[in-house]
Amino acid sequence: MSISDMPLQDVHERPSKRRRLDSDSESSDAVEALLTPASASASASASASASASSTAIVHEDQLDTSYAQRQPQISEETAQNSTWHMSTPRDKADNADAEDTNGAVVGAYAFDEDEVAAGDEDLSAGEQTPEEADGPARRPTALHYKLHMTLKGHKRGVAAVRFSPDGKWIASCSADCTIKIWDAQTGSLVHNLEGHIAGISTLTWNPDSTVLASGSDDKTIRLWDVVTGKCLPTSLLGHDNYVYSIAFSPKGNMLVSGSYDEAVFLWDVRTARTMRSLPAHSDPVSGVDFVRDGTLVASCSSDGLIRIWDATTGQCLKTLVHEDNAPVTSVRFSPNGRFVLATTLDSCVRLWNYVEGRCAKTYQGHTNAKYSINACFGTYQAHGDEDREEQERQRWAFVACGDDEGKVFLWDVSSKEVMQVLSGHEGVVLGVDTSPSSDAIATCGIDGTIKVWRKGAGSKRRVDGVVDAPQVETGAEKVEEEL
C-alpha cells in the first residue's frame, strides 16, 4: 500500500491540538532573496553555524538527545557574504542590483518588504535608477495559470510528479506499481517503467536528467536509465519497511532516503551501498531533501520533528519543532539553501529559518489534515517582462501546495497572500512541482491524473484521447491593471 492509498494520519493518529494562526515571526524576519543561489562557502558556513547553535549529536548506532547551548560564531568574511549579510536598503542601492519601489531587485529575486527599515522609505521615493526611469513593472497581485493538458494512463492514484532538471520530461509514479515519463511539451508518453512489485510513493531525478530513482512499498529503491527506459542492474536494498521519500544530491553521487522504518539512509549511488544509517525519528520518515551544495540533509516525520543533518558526519545539527507538534509530511530546502519549507497535517505550510530555529512564514487557506502532501517553490514575473533581457527581469517567489479537496494553492512567499487557486482534480492533490525551465506547474492526485498548468490562454490539448477544458480560480479579489 502506497502513500496515495494510505493516509499518513491513519498510520499514526495524533491528539488534536489548538492551532495557532499567528505563530510565525514574519514581522521581524527578512526572507531575503529566497531564490538567489548561495555560494558553496556560504552553505558550508550555514552548516557550521547551525552546528554551533542548539545541536543534537547523532552517531550511526545511537541518537544523543543532549543539546549544547552555544551561540553561532560567524566570521567576518562569512558575514560579508551575500547569503548571510543582511544589508540595509541603502547598501543594496549602492550595489549592482538596484531596488525598485515594489521591493523587487532588478537582476535578482525579490526580498521581503519587511526588511525595509522605517526610516529608509525615502530611498524608493527619491531619485530614480535607470531601470526605474524606464518604468519597471510592479509586483502582480495574482497569477494566471490555466489548465494546459491532462495526462492519463495510470490505473490508480498518482503519488508524486517531478519535472526533470532540464525541463524536458515529467515523471509520475503510482500505486499501480508503474512509473511513467512524459514529454513536458507535448504530453506524449515516452516510457512506461515496470519493476516494482508494490506501490511507488516517491521519485527523484539526478542532476543531468539521465537517471530517475524511485522508492516503493516493496522496500526497495530502483534506478532507471531515462534514455533506454530500463532499470539499472543494482537496486538499493536496506530499508526494513516502505520507502516514502528520496532525493539525489546536487552532484548525483549520493542519494538520501526516508522510510516507514523511521530511519534515514545515505547511499553511494555508484556502489549501491549504504554510506550511513541515521536513527532519525520515532515515527515514519515522510520527507527528505538535500541542500543545494550537498552538505546538509533535511528530514521530517509524523513525530512532528524536522531535523537538519550534516551529510558527511551524520550529526544532527538542528531539530525544528512547532509548538502544535503536528505531523510533518514533506520538507524541501529553498533554492538558496537558507530556508526549509514544510507541510503539516494542521493545514499549514511553514517556512523555517533553520539556522535560527524559528518559523519565518506560515501559509494557510488550504485543507490538509489527512493526506501526505508535498509543497514546492516557484517564481513569477510581471506581465510584459518577457520582452526584457533575462538579467533585467524582476522575479518573485511563490509557494505551491495541494490540498485534501482537490485544489492547488499558490501563495506569495513574502506577503503570504493567496495569489491563485487551481481547481481541476477530483479528490486530494498529492503532488505538485514547478518546471525549472518554464512557467509550467505539474500536479497529480488520487484521481489518477497528472495535470499541467501554464500561464496564458490555456488552449485545450488532446492527450490520450481526452480533451480538457481549463478550470481556474483566482485567490485575489482584485487584480491590478496589467502594465
Side-chain angles (χ1 to χ4, degrees):
M1 182 180 296
S2 68
I3 285 181
S4 60
D5 293 330
M6 179 173 59
L8 192 58
Q9 188 186 44
D10 292 348
V11 180
H12 285 270
E13 291 289 344
R14 303 180 63 84
S16 61
K17 296 186 179 182
R18 179 177 59 85
R19 183 178 63 191
R20 183 177 177 184
L21 299 180
D22 56 351
S23 59
D24 57 337
S25 55
E26 69 274 8
S27 60
S28 60
D29 182 65
V31 185
E32 179 186 4
L34 179 66
L35 300 182
T36 304
S39 64
S41 61
S43 295
S45 299
S47 174
S49 301
S51 178
S53 58
S54 299
T55 58
I57 307 302
V58 174
H59 302 283
E60 283 192 50
D61 57 347
Q62 182 179 359
L63 177 65
D64 184 358
T65 58
S66 62
Y67 287 81
Q69 301 298 327
R70 294 177 295 185
Q71 296 296 322
Q73 300 296 321
I74 302 177
S75 65
E76 181 178 354
E77 179 181 357
T78 302
Q80 294 175 353
N81 187 281
S82 60
T83 302
W84 289 91
H85 181 48
M86 304 295 285
S87 59
T88 65
R90 192 176 303 277
D91 293 331
K92 288 187 173 65
D94 293 336
N95 292 334
D97 290 336
E99 180 185 349
D100 69 29
T101 58
N102 297 287
V105 178
V106 178
Y109 294 111
F111 62 87
D112 194 334
E113 295 93 335
D114 293 345
E115 185 184 357
V116 179
D120 290 328
E121 285 88 349
D122 60 325
L123 290 174
S124 60
E127 60 179 350
Q128 293 180 318
T129 64
E131 291 82 359
E132 289 171 332
D134 292 337
R138 293 186 296 174
R139 182 195 298 246
T141 59
L143 299 178
H144 303 281
Y145 281 94
K146 295 184 179 180
L147 183 59
H148 179 60
M149 57 186 176
T150 295
L151 313 179
K152 293 188 175 182
H154 285 293
K155 298 178 181 179
R156 300 183 66 184
V158 182
V161 60
R162 296 298 295 267
F163 280 98
S164 61
D166 60 11
K168 294 181 179 180
W169 318 109
I170 297 174
S172 59
C173 63
S174 169
D176 64 8
C177 308
T178 69
I179 302 163
K180 297 185 185 297
I181 299 179
W182 316 79
D183 187 298
Q185 295 299 319
T186 66
S188 60
L189 181 62
V190 179
H191 291 300
N192 184 53
L193 310 179
E194 297 181 345
H196 286 290
I197 59 176
I200 306 166
S201 297
T202 179
L203 292 170
T204 184
W205 292 87
N206 75 336
D208 60 6
S209 305
T210 59
V211 175
L212 182 68
S214 57
S216 169
D217 288 358
D218 63 13
K219 309 176 187 179
T220 69
I221 300 169
R222 290 180 178 267
L223 304 177
W224 307 85
D225 187 318
V226 176
V227 176
T228 64
K230 302 295 184 181
C231 183
L232 298 182
T234 306
S235 298
L236 308 184
L237 306 175
H239 279 296
D240 297 326
N241 217 317
Y242 313 138
V243 180
Y244 268 176
S245 181
I246 56 178
F248 266 110
S249 67
K251 293 183 179 179
N253 60 329
M254 295 173 58
L255 187 141
V256 61
S257 60
S259 168
Y260 192 85
D261 61 15
E262 305 174 3
V264 171
F265 283 8
L266 290 172
W267 303 85
D268 183 324
V269 175
R270 183 180 60 85
T271 63
R273 294 182 178 179
T274 305
M275 299 172 57
R276 192 172 296 275
S277 174
L278 307 177
H281 295 274
S282 58
D283 277 339
V285 180
S286 50
V288 292
D289 194 25
F290 266 104
V291 77
R292 66 180 305 273
D293 67 354
T295 59
L296 302 175
V297 167
S299 67
C300 66
S301 168
S302 53
D303 62 10
L305 303 181
I306 302 169
R307 286 195 160 125
I308 309 297
W309 308 85
D310 187 305
T312 302
T313 66
Q315 287 186 338
C316 180
L317 304 177
K318 201 76 172 182
T319 297
L320 309 174
V321 57
H322 192 264
E323 61 179 12
D324 290 345
N325 197 33
V328 188
T329 59
S330 74
V331 65
R332 183 173 292 192
F333 279 102
S334 64
N336 71 354
R338 294 185 57 196
F339 300 91
V340 167
L341 187 69
T343 57
T344 50
L345 291 183
D346 57 356
S347 298
C348 291
V349 180
R350 293 184 174 91
L351 185 69
W352 288 87
N353 183 325
Y354 62 88
V355 174
E356 298 179 6
R358 60 190 176 90
C359 179
K361 300 285 181 182
T362 299
Y363 309 98
Q364 293 177 307
H366 65 307
T367 301
N368 183 203
K370 187 177 181 181
Y371 292 91
S372 180
I373 295 174
N374 80 297
C376 66
F377 294 100
T379 62
Y380 66 96
Q381 61 191 28
H383 178 72
D385 260 14
E386 296 84 358
D387 298 331
R388 292 174 179 255
E389 295 294 333
E390 179 66 27
Q391 63 272 17
E392 295 180 354
R393 294 178 185 174
Q394 301 172 14
R395 295 183 185 273
W396 298 273
F398 68 83
V399 169
C401 183
D403 83 342
D404 293 351
E405 299 177 350
K407 298 179 180 180
V408 180
F409 282 71
L410 308 180
W411 296 271
D412 178 80
V413 165
S414 295
S415 69
K416 303 182 298 179
E417 295 178 354
V418 177
M419 303 190 73
Q420 188 173 1
V421 180
L422 308 176
S423 299
H425 284 280
E426 297 179 3
V428 59
V429 179
L430 295 171
V432 59
D433 197 25
T434 57
S435 172
S437 60
S438 68
D439 59 4
I441 298 175
T443 59
C444 66
I446 205 167
D447 60 4
T449 68
I450 302 99
K451 295 184 182 293
V452 180
W453 312 78
R454 291 184 184 274
K455 294 179 182 178
S459 59
K460 300 177 182 179
R461 298 295 295 268
R462 181 181 295 271
V463 179
D464 288 348
V466 178
V467 178
D468 299 287
Q471 302 178 44
V472 179
E473 295 180 7
T474 58
E477 294 180 359
K478 181 179 179 181
V479 179
E480 291 188 357
E481 181 180 358
E482 294 181 344
L483 299 178

